[in-house]
Amino acid sequence: MTRFVDKGCSKNLHRTTKVDKPHPNLPSNEKQLDGIFRRFDTNHDGCLSQQELTDAFHSLGSRFPSYRAWRALHHADANKDGFVSENEFQQLVKYAVKYGFLLPN
């Protein structure tokens, strides 16, 4: 599997590719990925906190789940309330797919 690694936080991101074996917990489609994220809503409030995102990315095999959760929250949290809410889940899924948390078809 080819995974893109973010090498910086500036507008001119430098990316390198890294080939890893697929993690056994990776879903095969976006609907499954959405379901995995929803499963980590442990307090059932319809939103994902940074800790819930960290746990989700850990289950997906992220090497740095806290960092990945922070980046995902920054990307998907449109209203900047510190949570990924129901209407922001699609952006979360797009972020996860972009960074290789989905098995290729």
Side-chain angles (χ1 to χ4, degrees), residues 23-90:
H23 191 273
N25 293 337
L26 284 178
S28 60
N29 65 48
E30 290 182 20
K31 187 173 181 179
Q32 287 177 321
L33 186 58
D34 182 89
I36 288 170
F37 282 124
R38 290 176 192 280
R39 189 178 78 216
F40 281 90
D41 178 14
T42 55
N43 61 359
H44 307 290
D45 64 353
C47 299
L48 290 177
S49 67
Q50 186 166 350
Q51 183 57 54
E52 290 168 330
L53 283 170
T54 299
D55 295 342
F57 278 107
H58 183 271
S59 80
L60 291 169
S62 175
R63 292 183 184 177
F64 304 103
S66 295
Y67 170 75
R68 188 54 63 199
W70 179 83
R71 296 287 296 173
L73 185 62
H74 179 74
H75 176 82
D77 184 17
N79 64 2
K80 305 299 180 205
D81 65 352
F83 297 91
V84 176
S85 59
E86 181 73 30
N87 60 349
E88 297 166 334
F89 262 69
Q90 186 60 36

